[in-house]
């Protein structure tokens, strides 16, 4: 099961800045496996992988203290990642052509979340690993917010 958190200490350039983090298990649910494989279709930055917003994004919703993050991906990059599109009937509210591949929820401090960076850091690995583990084989994938209309 994907684990969602809002925490500081993730961005080495701004260690006090909160970041929405998601840990997906590459052997987990179909959605987790699809998100984990998206890393192969990212471009590399300074210790991070960037998923192009033309491929997919993370949608955040905060209702009281309940934070929901939906990962939306267009069908073509999802198919290139080897995902079975039939497994994902949901659609993005930002763009109905994009497929919802994963939803994660957690309780979050609204004040901490309000200071969080707009991008979501996705870490891939076994659920028992720390969500901010730092290794060359586990660069976070950064997902931007949805594209603007």
């Amino acid at each position: 099961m994907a684990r969602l958190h809002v925490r500081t200490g993730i961005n080495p350039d701004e260690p006090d800045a909160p970041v929405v983090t998601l840990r997906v298990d590459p052997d987990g649910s179909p959605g987790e496996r699809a998100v984990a494989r998206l890393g192969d279709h990212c471009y590399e930055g300074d210790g991070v992988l960037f998923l192009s917003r033309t491929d997919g994004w993370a949608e955040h919703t905060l209702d009281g203290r309940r934070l929901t993050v939906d990962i939306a991906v267009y069908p073509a990059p999802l198919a290139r990642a080897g995902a079975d599109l039939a497994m994902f009937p949901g659609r993005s509210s930002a763009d109905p052509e994009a497929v919802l591949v994963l939803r994660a929820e957690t309780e979050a401090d609204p004040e901490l979340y309000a200071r969080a960076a707009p991008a979501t850091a996705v870490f891939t690995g076994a659920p028992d690993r720390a969500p901010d583990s730092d290794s060359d084989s586990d660069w976070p994938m950064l997902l931007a917010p949805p594209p603007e209309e």
Side-chain angles (χ1 to χ4, degrees), residues 15 27 29 46 51 58 63 81-82 88-89 103 109 118 121 126 128 132-133 135:
D27 298 319
S29 70
D46 186 20
L51 183 66
D63 184 12
F88 308 106
R103 171 172 279 179
D109 176 349
D128 58 343
D132 58 350
S133 65
S135 73

Side-chain angles (χ1 to χ4, degrees), residues 1-145:
M1 178 177 195
R3 294 183 1 196
L4 179 64
H5 301 278
V6 180
R7 54 178 48 157
T8 59
I10 303 297
N11 183 345
D13 295 331
E14 297 181 56
D16 294 331
V19 175
V20 176
T21 63
L22 180 65
R23 163 82 53 195
V24 296
D25 183 352
D27 298 319
S29 70
E32 286 183 272
R33 291 191 310 266
V35 171
R37 287 192 302 262
L38 286 174
D40 295 338
H41 302 279
C42 292
Y43 60 94
E44 293 183 17
D46 186 20
V48 297
L49 302 171
F50 294 99
L51 183 66
S52 171
R53 195 182 277 176
T54 59
D55 288 344
W57 57 83
E59 301 174 5
H60 296 188
T61 306
L62 184 66
D63 184 12
R65 297 183 63 84
R66 194 76 186 157
L67 175 63
T68 302
V69 173
D70 288 326
I71 306 300
V73 182
Y74 286 111
L78 192 56
R80 282 193 308 269
D84 178 1
L85 295 175
M87 297 293 297
F88 308 106
R91 294 291 182 244
S92 165
S93 60
D95 183 346
E97 291 186 29
V99 177
L100 289 180
V101 296
L102 184 65
R103 171 172 279 179
E105 297 179 323
T106 193
E107 186 171 312
D109 176 349
E111 291 180 20
L112 183 66
Y113 175 73
R115 296 186 358 249
T120 301
V122 178
F123 293 86
T124 301
D128 58 343
R129 289 186 55 201
D132 58 350
S133 65
D134 184 20
S135 73
D136 289 341
S137 63
D138 195 24
W139 284 6
M141 176 175 42
L142 291 185
L143 302 179

